[in-house]
Amino acid sequence: MQYRKFGRTGLTVSRLIIGTGTFGKQTDEAESFRMLDRVADAGVNIIDTADIYPGGADLTEVGRAEEFTGRWLKGKRGNFIVGTKAGFPMGPLQWDRGTSRKHLMDAIDASLKRLDTDYVDLYQVHTDDTETPLEETAEALDAIVRSGKARYIGVSNFLAYRLARAIGRQDTLRLARYASAQPRYNLLFREIERDLLPLAQEENLAVIPFNPLAGGLLTGKYRQSQSPDKGRFSAEVGSFGAMYKARYWHEREFDTITRLGAIAEEIGEPLPKLAVAWILANPAVTSVILGASRTEQLADTLAAADYGLDPEVKAKLDELTVDYRRGDAGR
Ligand SMILES: NC(=O)c1ccc[n+]([C@@H]2O[C@H](COP(=O)([O-])OP(=O)(O)OC[C@H]3O[C@@H](n4cnc5c(N)ncnc54)[C@H](OP(=O)(O)O)[C@@H]3O)[C@@H](O)[C@H]2O)c1
């Protein structure tokens, strides 16, 4: 495993992060524990969770991933960096979501309770709440850091201009500053290369992309003509299935995957390993968040951590997917 500084903080993190988005829905508690054991053995020292996981529209399931994570961490909390998030709906009320002071103050306490810990290392705004003033969110997060409930703060799913404005406001008001951004990024979705990654490099923000395999599409296991009844692109994951299909289930993406698969075959490496190694090879990226519904799925992606991607192969992958840098490919 390789390690890297987390942006301009003093933290050092593994270049692979384990995601918990499947915990409590596709992945039961025993399998979640096996997965966490497996990645810890491989040197992963950072866990990504969120209050809403594994939920979607179903509010009865939210919080399970934090609960599983908290139980696994029992007796070893100090050995891991734990990041969680708030902002997506956690209940039926209007203030059960977003980044108002009211919600964030409730949300951090609820997350700490489920995680059975006194603090999280990284507290992230899960999605941009444009209806709450930037100052209100910044002041609430600053209070959370000062109270010791979170050690660092970050964002996820932010447009670059909003993140730039938020950081500017935090600096002016001398409040705790966002240390990281968690964007969607993979060979089929490269828009962040245009604005967010340059901003992160200028500001020395940690960048921890999620969705490195485009929900599993970049394993090459799907055929466009065969709609799956299990997994990320199916009704098994509720409303997420349709969302992922709208994002990626298109002729153009399948065509690209066929061509990516040919490159992988030529050099004798599994495509998921190359897909993760390609993200890690980007100098703006700190660490990649891996996702899996079963422990065995992690073999190929964990192997990316110590794999030096040949610059010529990287150039081929870059060229083959260059269209996904442009806005018109974004769904
Ligand atoms: N901030 C955010 O808004 C946000 C959003 C999404 C995720 N995340 C975080 O990022 C993590 C990873 O994201 P992601 O789940 O979208 O990552 P991903 O790597 O794009 O997709 C992971 C999925 O691909 C399939 N897969 C992975 N390895 C495989 C293999 N070797 N063979 C076959 N199938 C394989 C599995 O789904 P199936 O078994 O269902 O096919 C797995 O759950 C999540 O757990 C979560 O912590 C954050």
Side-chain angles (χ1 to χ4, degrees):
M1 182 56 60
Q2 317 244 331
Y3 298 84
R4 188 170 270 195
K5 279 288 172 206
F6 194 74
R8 60 188 203 176
T9 76
L11 268 186
T12 302
V13 298
S14 50
R15 295 216 71 202
L16 296 178
I17 299 172
I18 186 64
T20 63
T22 55
F23 291 11
K25 199 176 197 119
Q26 285 178 281
T27 314
D28 66 19
E29 186 157 350
E31 185 61 16
S32 304
F33 278 32
R34 266 195 292 280
M35 210 181 277
L36 291 166
D37 288 340
R38 171 79 180 84
V39 300
D41 282 349
V44 169
N45 67 7
I46 165 163
I47 302 172
D48 178 76
T49 190
D51 55 5
I52 195 178
Y53 293 166
D58 188 351
L59 292 176
T60 60
E61 291 176 332
V62 298
R64 282 192 197 158
E66 285 186 332
E67 287 167 2
F68 288 10
T69 304
R71 287 198 279 273
W72 182 80
L73 281 168
K74 204 102 223 120
K76 44 184 178 292
R77 171 68 186 90
N79 298 342
F80 293 90
I81 303 296
V82 178
T84 195
K85 320 182 195 79
F88 282 121
M90 289 296 286
L93 303 175
Q94 277 150 340
W95 49 84
D96 288 339
R97 67 194 68 195
T99 60
S100 66
R101 187 179 183 88
K102 176 161 177 63
H103 181 57
L104 289 178
M105 291 304 184
D106 289 344
I108 183 70
D109 286 341
S111 281
L112 294 181
K113 195 166 173 203
R114 285 187 293 264
L115 285 162
D116 197 12
T117 183
D118 298 330
Y119 69 98
V120 289
D121 298 280
L122 179 64
Y123 199 48
Q124 299 151 103
V125 168
H126 207 153
T127 185
D128 191 7
D129 173 1
T130 54
E131 289 176 5
T132 296
L134 288 171
E135 291 81 358
E136 178 174 338
T137 302
E139 280 165 5
L141 289 170
D142 185 71
I144 287 169
V145 170
R146 282 175 202 281
S147 71
K149 292 177 184 176
R151 302 211 165 150
Y152 302 93
I153 54 172
V155 299
S156 183
N157 301 305
F158 264 51
L159 292 176
Y161 88 92
R162 289 281 297 171
L163 178 55
R165 287 189 64 209
I167 290 171
R169 218 56 72 86
Q170 287 167 332
D171 285 349
T172 306
L173 297 170
R174 295 180 175 273
L175 299 172
R177 191 184 210 261
Y178 289 132
S180 62
Q182 182 178 143
R184 172 158 69 106
Y185 187 42
N186 59 55
L187 280 161
L188 303 176
F189 187 76
R190 296 179 50 187
E191 287 174 28
I192 62 163
E193 291 175 16
R194 301 194 305 173
D195 287 331
L196 189 76
L197 295 186
L199 169 70
Q201 283 189 295
E202 262 182 51
E203 293 293 333
N204 202 1
L205 294 164
V207 177
I208 51 172
F210 68 87
N211 206 218
L213 301 182
L217 213 73
L218 282 165
T219 61
K221 69 178 175 177
Y222 293 115
R223 296 286 158 269
Q224 194 182 3
S225 56
Q226 292 163 8
S227 240
D229 51 17
K230 280 248 171 253
R232 180 68 63 85
F233 289 84
S234 74
E236 187 192 8
V237 294
S239 56
F240 287 134
M243 185 183 87
Y244 270 88
K245 275 197 144 178
R247 278 182 183 169
Y248 297 119
W249 203 270
H250 308 285
E251 200 175 336
R252 171 168 150 160
E253 278 73 5
F254 278 93
D255 194 52
T256 306
I257 288 168
T258 304
R259 290 196 273 157
L260 289 169
I263 295 177
E265 209 173 304
E266 198 183 303
I267 60 168
E269 295 288 358
L271 182 54
K273 180 175 169 183
L274 285 189
V276 173
W278 175 82
I279 302 177
L280 288 172
N282 188 320
V285 169
T286 308
S287 305
V288 173
I289 309 180
L290 302 183
S293 60
R294 284 174 288 109
T295 307
E296 309 82 74
Q297 291 178 338
L298 290 165
D300 287 343
T301 44
L302 278 175
D306 295 314
Y307 178 70
L309 185 64
D310 180 335
E312 273 182 33
V313 177
K314 181 181 180 311
K316 274 191 196 172
L317 299 177
D318 280 340
E319 198 186 312
L320 183 52
T321 59
V322 72
D323 279 356
Y324 299 98
R325 278 180 72 115
R326 300 184 184 119
D328 60 349
R331 295 184 176 93

